[in-house]
Amino acid sequence: MFHTALRNVLAHKARLLMTVLAVMLGVAFVSGTLVFTNTISDAYQKSSAKGFGQVDVAVTAEGRADRGNTVGKVPELTQAMLERSAKVPGAGSATGVVTGFTAIAGKDGKLIGGGWQSEGGNYWGTKDARYPLVAGHAPSGGTEVLIDSRTAERAGYKVGDTVRISVDGPVLTPTVSGIFTTDDGNVAAGGSLALFDTATAQKLFGKPGTYDEIDVKAKPGTSQSALKQALDDALPKDEVETTTGTTLADDQADTIASSMSGLKQGLLVFAGIALFVGTFIIANTFTMLVAQRTRELALLRAVGASRRQVTRSVLIEAFVVGTVAGVTGLAAGIGIGAGLRSLMNSLGATVPDGPLVVTPGTVVAALAVGVVITMLAAWLPGRRAAKIPPVAAMSAVHAKATTRSLVLRNTIGALFSAAGVAVVLAATTMDGSDGQAPMGLGAVLLITGVFVLTPLLSRPLIAAAAPALRAFGVSGKLARQNSVRNPRRTAATASALMIGLTLITGMTVMAGSLQKSIDKMASAAIRADYVVSMAGGTELSPDVAGKLAATDGVTATSPLRNAPSRIDGRTEYLTGVNGPVIGRLTDLKVEDGSFEVGGSRVVVDDDTATSHHWRAGSDFTVHYEDGKRQKLTVAGVYEGNQMIHGIMLDTTALTPHQTDPADMRVMVKTAGGASDAAKDRLEKALGSNPAIQVQDRKDLSDSVAKMFTLMLNMVYGLLAMAVIVAVLGVVNTLAMSVFERSQEIGMLRAIGLDRKAVKRMVRLESLVISLFGAVLGIGLGVFFGWAAGELLGTKLATYELVVPWARIAFFLLLAGAVGVLAALWPARRAARLNMLDAIKSE
């Protein structure tokens, strides 16, 4: 049977090529994802390990990671602690570390590093082992700065140049005193790093006389654990934490692996979709191959082959096909992994240098996926063929599906579909996070149910196209009949496109609806003409609000100044605003009381009010971050949203209790409204600082839209793999259908159907099948988009369903184009059949 199976594979090379391609694409996606994420993760981990080479033990302030939520006095790392750390037994040296956001502008005036990757720090003394100098000298005073070599190369800076820098808003113009190299992961990923002398860094980052971290290097012969113990004994345990360099490196490696895990899972989901679609094609292919060889298999049964041997022969064919597809897919996946890394570098997301990582796990996964998916898809056709009695197979009476099997299939499909719809509808009534799992389960059940019902649905839906097909005469009529002749084959072919378009349509509906809700939120909540913020999402200096208020044409400004507090035993964030004018800058719906902010009177969003059982007139006691407390009164309750929410009080009440006041945003109202001239005046007032964003309401909306558009384009690109696999399925189905109908096509040619009409018939058949899959996919996609929106609506009050009819029409046209293109080769093959040879074929 092994020789028989191998002979069948070699005899049907052309027929199995499409199956190999379908499996290969899915395997390539899986292996490419594993190679890419393993390579990136390995590069960052090695780069991170180098960065901890100068740290044997790190000393940090107790609770530093949760400092933003801490109310009361926070422990600090002082100069005395640094000196004490340097003198403990086994310590070779101790370095005080200061860090903070620092944006560097290129010579073109644009921000380098994308904002969030823009970091700054201190250079220790005249020589810092962490940052080897390649040119120039250590910085001294606030007029000198060091920049990393990657940034210097990208921006064209050299020693002696003047560079524009911003820490919290105001522009600084120090001279580049030197250039250094670093293994910092952010710099390796395309960010920037600027270094000042320690005193300047402490002043700029608001930490005079203190440090963020103390890095201690051990003397030769002293272990990290021994040094850690010595530091624990010497430093106050209730104020500091100590961590070994090895632990830091391991934690960083775990963090990198975790972040890569999310990317890997996302990519593998799309790889799974491509494989899922490919499974339909494989099963379809083997079903047709087995059907075409029914008499051959019956003859084997007649001469003594058992059912198991027949099934085994089909599985051996699948094993050979899967192995070939797995090996070629692995090779293609390695190329995809290398290409993705190069693509990231070309887009500016620089990745640390390192080798391409192809682990044994990747090789095993690629081969296992290729072989297992193919064999599973081929098992059912092989089992079905083995059950056919030899006499029935030889008389060709086996093809008809029994009424019982059709009723069973339709019943199962209806039950799955009904259960899926019920679960999805139930999920829409739940809270956003609680409804995610049920929504996913319902989606799987509904897609499965529709797939099972697709043969039943194909007849009425394709029949609806009959009037349009009549315009093509005999070719149109024959195309419709051929489309419904084998409903299962048509269903399997259409399902591949259905799944791809379900996901694409669902994502498009959600993205459009979210964009609409963001537009409504920006227009409904903000009356201000502009919102000013830092590009990296960091805090603004209070000086920024003052400069904006003094700008010509500005009629009102208000900062949004955040600070943690304790209320009723739990942490609540306060937002300091300019009380007298905040009502002119916002347009928030007041549900209770009045929008009055000043003195001890505050306004509270509805969620916070509900959680504390407050209403207009309620009093409560707030504990500020400096430990002091005050009694406040709720003047009004407003409807909050993702842009504006929380407890608002006047800055005159909040600021005295803050050790380092800073603003997250500043809202600005101008006399003539938003205009290019007004925006230009505001930007010039801030020194044309590239690190500061001056955005009107449309800019705010567009910035969110860019994120959705980027995500949507990524999804389209990833789902294109599934669509390509679906196209191969249509080509495969039509090619085999033409082969099966060779005798019929020969008869049609003999009675007068010309070659053009034959081509038209095959193309129309492909078009009908593709559009059938598209209609199902778009219908499911709109339903899932609506359902997911209902779930989001529990968290996003302004959510509104938007059905992008123009894009949906484009998707239908795209599906039609897919059908026409997929039919080119099968139609040409059908038209070129010799009518006499075709009539004589069996």
Side-chain angles (χ1 to χ4, degrees), residues 177-262:
S177 66
I179 296 171
F180 63 92
T181 59
T182 178
D183 294 314
D184 186 281
N186 280 333
V187 174
S192 63
L193 179 60
L195 301 177
F196 308 89
D197 67 50
T198 300
T200 301
Q202 289 175 327
K203 179 182 177 182
L204 289 174
F205 302 136
K207 303 156 187 171
T210 64
Y211 302 94
D212 292 304
E213 184 174 301
I214 297 173
D215 292 342
V216 186
K217 185 74 175 170
K219 288 181 179 179
T222 302
S223 67
Q224 291 186 354
S225 57
L227 180 59
K228 180 180 184 301
Q229 185 60 53
L231 288 165
D232 287 339
D233 294 338
L235 299 175
K237 294 182 175 59
D238 58 341
E239 294 185 27
V240 302
E241 297 175 352
T242 57
T243 311
T244 64
T246 301
T247 302
L248 288 172
D250 291 342
D251 290 345
Q252 183 72 6
D254 291 342
T255 300
I256 292 170
S258 177
S259 63
M260 288 295 108
S261 174

Side-chain angles (χ1 to χ4, degrees), residues 406-420 445-454 456:
L406 291 174
V407 170
L408 179 63
R409 179 186 180 115
N410 294 336
T411 302
I412 292 173
L415 290 174
F416 268 79
S417 299
L445 289 172
L446 180 54
I447 289 176
T448 303
V450 172
F451 168 67
V452 175
L453 284 175
T454 306
L456 178 67

